[in-house]
Amino acid sequence: MKSIALGCDHVGFILKADIVAHLQTRGIKVIDKGWWSTERTDYPRYANEVAEAVTSGEVDGGVLICGTGVGISITANKHPGIRAVVCSEPYSAQLSRQHNNTNVLAFGSRVVGLELAKMIVDAWLDAEFEGGRHQTRVDAITEVEARFNAL
Ligand code: RB5
């Protein structure tokens, strides 16, 4: 991925600067979609900003950070075309790319420390979607979205 939109809430903010710096050391262009402090805010706003940046093609992928990664990934997954994974270890991050073609990675600053978060980010970025039988399954996810969008 060459470009990433990054979003966080006030809890995820503590990891934000270091994760942005880590992405940039990998040569990735980072678009900052907020939040910008530890002042309390609501995570859906940043999940929506990042999801829209991904689905519009503004960026190749998204990274989201809240306390657990749960609320922010649930919100992102409401957007058709978003496949967000919440990870607390690198293996799932890697497989989520290889098998599920995830386009958003989420994690929680209350769950993982900075070094583990960087390992998760690297595992996600280094892995490639394998297509084949996995494409068939991802297509089936897209069909579910289409069914409900038609309502
Ligand atoms: C905020 O207190 C917290 O709920 C949020 O960061 C996140 O963990 C939600 O899933």
Side-chain angles (χ1 to χ4, degrees):
M1 290 188 188
K2 292 188 168 62
S3 58
I4 294 273
L6 191 135
C8 66
D9 70 356
H10 55 294
V11 184
F13 178 77
I14 62 161
L15 288 180
K16 176 180 170 177
D18 287 318
I19 294 299
V20 169
H22 185 67
L23 291 167
Q24 289 171 335
T25 62
R26 292 185 57 119
I28 293 172
K29 180 181 173 192
V30 180
I31 311 281
D32 183 355
K33 298 292 185 181
W35 179 235
W36 296 276
S37 79
T38 55
E39 188 179 329
R40 189 172 295 160
T41 185
D42 299 317
Y43 58 80
R45 178 173 156 193
Y46 313 101
N48 291 333
E49 292 270 351
V50 166
E52 283 164 20
V54 173
T55 56
S56 70
E58 180 187 353
V59 291
D60 299 326
V63 171
L64 293 169
I65 319 168
C66 66
T68 57
V70 173
I72 211 159
S73 60
I74 288 173
T75 312
N77 274 319
K78 299 296 179 189
H79 290 247
I82 293 296
R83 290 175 301 280
V85 62
V86 55
C87 288
S88 54
E89 35 72 32
Y91 182 70
S92 298
Q94 176 190 330
L95 267 288
S96 83
R97 286 286 303 138
Q98 292 173 336
H99 290 191
N100 316 112
N101 201 14
T102 50
N103 48 16
V104 172
L105 170 68
F107 48 88
S109 65
R110 287 173 171 153
V111 180
V112 298
L114 175 61
E115 294 309 315
L116 182 54
K118 289 195 285 190
M119 290 172 71
I120 291 167
V121 168
D122 286 341
W124 189 70
L125 290 171
D126 290 342
E128 300 256 338
F129 182 50
E130 292 175 356
R133 70 185 190 281
H134 302 298
Q135 183 64 61
T136 308
R137 294 159 185 167
V138 171
D139 288 344
I141 297 172
T142 306
E143 281 168 27
V144 175
E145 287 177 342
R147 196 191 319 156
F148 288 99
N149 289 339
L151 295 178

